[in-house]
Amino acid sequence: MINASDNQLHIMDHGHQQPGKWRRKCVISPALPDPVPVICATDLSYRADGNRLQTLSLYLPQTDETEALVSMPVCELPCLGTNSGCPVALVHIHGGAWRSPDVTAASIEPTVACAFATPDDTPLKVVASIDYTISPFPSAPSDSYDPRVDGHSDPAREAVHPQHLDDVLRAFEMLRSLGLSDGSYVLSGHSCGACLAFQAVLTEPAEFGLLDVCAPPTPAAVVGVNGLYDLPGLVHHLDPSHAHLEAEYRDLLTIAFGADEQVWAAGSPARFELGTTASRLRRLGGLATILLEQSPDDQLVPMNQREKLARHIIDATVFDVVEGWRCSGSHATPWEQGDMMWRSILNVLDRYRSLKPPCNTFVE
């Protein structure tokens, strides 16, 4: 929870009446031979009386400086004031089709392991990963839930759009209070998390009826990985290799967004009104580039999802849009392995440092 008292911000571990504190942890990646020690603070609630998924987690490289934070309360994001004009934070939004209980903020940990395996050399000083309320999943293989038939209520698994986005924006409010500022971070998202990232960046909250929450600080760059950007297209415009998923996509979109397909379209970053997108991008002066990664082997998301968002942004305004080819394997492989996500982040940081005035760019 976040409680204001005597102008002091107190961050509470979810379910515990004590300030959230930094602690040691080891994180792993299949791409690395050994676990990587980090300093972290996990499951920090960003909403007063929030449910168990309205939390975020923070990770720092293990150094002499961060070791001194162990057992100290989380009062700020360390090192954000030392960026010398370059982003030193990563904020990640996980996927899971808005509904999977098995994909959480912890899914960033393989990437954290790759990022902090050599703590003296990493350009990142902090990674934040956001959890959010998910939608019902009656057919979940590991933990099915349907409030209509289960005879009980679970507020953490009953979200309907735009609650997922509202939670993400609330998390950003907490991160802002800890020191996150314009240009200090790269924003990444996987799958529906990429959709949420672009919903947050390319529109104002009021566009979704969210009137009491602010837009996030402007990221230096946005990285979408195997993202969902044209929601009606997941039902009506699937290519032959993914046509068998039509019924499953219709089901998950109906549960997460409701049955009205106009709501699906309004929530699709690749279908945002061009004038609104152009105006928003012009106001985001600190946003240097957008990197859209897509695995050609993705068994769940067709390649045209990425292409539609790239073309939409280019149609809206002159902007640096990069279609990357750093990811391979199945839909979840980039975050499960971590190294592909990390290479994408490194590439976008390199591009940020060398970028000239923004221009539309496609790289093969």
Side-chain angles (χ1 to χ4, degrees):
M1 293 176 287
I2 303 175
N3 296 333
S5 176
D6 299 325
N7 296 320
Q8 179 74 29
L9 181 69
H10 297 282
I11 302 165
M12 304 295 186
D13 282 316
H14 188 73
H16 300 280
Q17 296 303 310
Q18 61 180 6
K21 295 181 179 181
W22 297 105
R23 62 183 176 89
R24 299 181 185 90
K25 182 177 183 177
C26 284
V27 293
I28 62 173
S29 163
L32 299 175
D34 301 307
V36 175
V38 298
I39 307 301
C40 71
T42 57
D43 302 322
L44 302 174
S45 292
Y46 51 76
R47 300 194 73 147
D49 302 318
N51 66 56
R52 68 182 184 280
L53 293 181
Q54 290 173 321
T55 63
L56 59 82
S57 295
L58 305 173
Y59 301 87
L60 312 174
Q62 187 184 55
T63 64
D64 290 343
E65 182 181 6
T66 60
E67 270 287 335
L69 295 172
V70 173
S71 299
M72 299 291 290
V74 179
C75 298
E76 63 179 352
L77 298 176
C79 304
L80 286 191
T82 62
N83 60 16
S84 301
C86 292
V88 294
L90 171 67
V91 179
H92 182 69
I93 308 172
H94 69 78
W98 298 277
R99 65 183 186 177
S100 174
D102 299 323
V103 185
T104 68
S107 64
I108 197 61
E109 291 187 356
T111 304
V112 170
C114 294
F116 295 159
T118 53
D120 293 333
D121 296 330
T122 181
L124 289 186
K125 304 302 181 184
V126 59
V127 174
S129 189
I130 297 173
D131 259 324
Y132 49 89
T133 308
I134 57 177
S135 299
F137 195 175
S139 60
S142 62
D143 188 9
S144 62
Y145 176 69
D146 186 343
R148 298 168 298 180
V149 299
D150 284 356
H152 67 279
S153 178
D154 183 355
R157 299 186 64 181
E158 297 178 5
V160 177
H161 173 77
Q163 185 177 350
H164 319 92
L165 177 61
D166 186 53
D167 279 0
V168 166
L169 296 176
R170 303 288 176 182
F172 269 109
E173 288 187 337
M174 176 176 164
L175 291 171
R176 189 195 297 271
S177 74
L178 295 175
L180 195 74
S181 59
D182 291 346
S184 67
Y185 74 105
V186 173
L187 175 60
S188 67
H190 174 264
S191 191
C192 74
C195 181
L196 286 163
F198 284 103
Q199 286 175 338
V201 168
L202 295 183
T203 65
E204 299 291 342
E207 294 289 326
F208 297 104
L210 304 176
L211 304 178
D212 61 343
V213 65
C214 296
T218 301
V222 183
V223 180
V225 180
N226 291 353
L228 307 178
Y229 308 122
D230 175 16
L231 305 186
L234 294 170
V235 173
H236 299 297
H237 304 291
L238 290 169
D239 57 38
S241 62
H242 292 78
H244 64 285
L245 297 171
E246 177 184 340
E248 183 174 351
Y249 270 123
R250 182 180 293 279
D251 179 63
L252 78 86
L253 290 173
T254 298
I255 292 175
F257 286 79
D260 186 349
E261 294 193 19
Q262 291 184 348
V263 176
W264 304 0
S268 300
R271 294 188 180 218
F272 290 163
E273 198 272 325
L274 280 176
T276 299
T277 300
S279 176
R280 178 69 174 146
L281 285 169
R282 284 194 294 269
R283 291 198 299 273
L284 295 176
L287 176 57
T289 192
I290 290 172
L291 171 61
L292 302 177
E293 291 281 7
Q294 178 67 42
S295 169
D297 310 311
D298 191 328
Q299 82 282 17
L300 298 180
V301 179
M303 293 294 292
N304 63 11
Q305 286 287 306
R306 178 180 71 172
E307 295 161 2
K308 289 177 180 179
L309 180 59
R311 293 297 175 189
H312 178 74
I313 294 172
I314 289 171
D315 287 345
T317 186
V318 175
F319 201 79
D320 186 61
V321 180
V322 180
E323 291 190 281
W325 297 93
R326 299 160 187 83
C327 293
S328 61
S330 68
H331 183 64
T333 298
W335 68 259
E336 289 178 334
Q337 298 290 321
D339 57 333
M340 284 180 274
M341 289 277 295
W342 177 229
R343 285 199 299 271
S344 295
I345 301 302
L346 280 176
N347 289 158
V348 86
L349 288 171
D350 288 342
R351 190 173 184 85
Y352 181 87
R353 286 188 287 266
S354 63
L355 193 65
K356 303 303 180 184
C359 59
N360 297 324
T361 305
F362 289 82
V363 295
E364 297 297 331

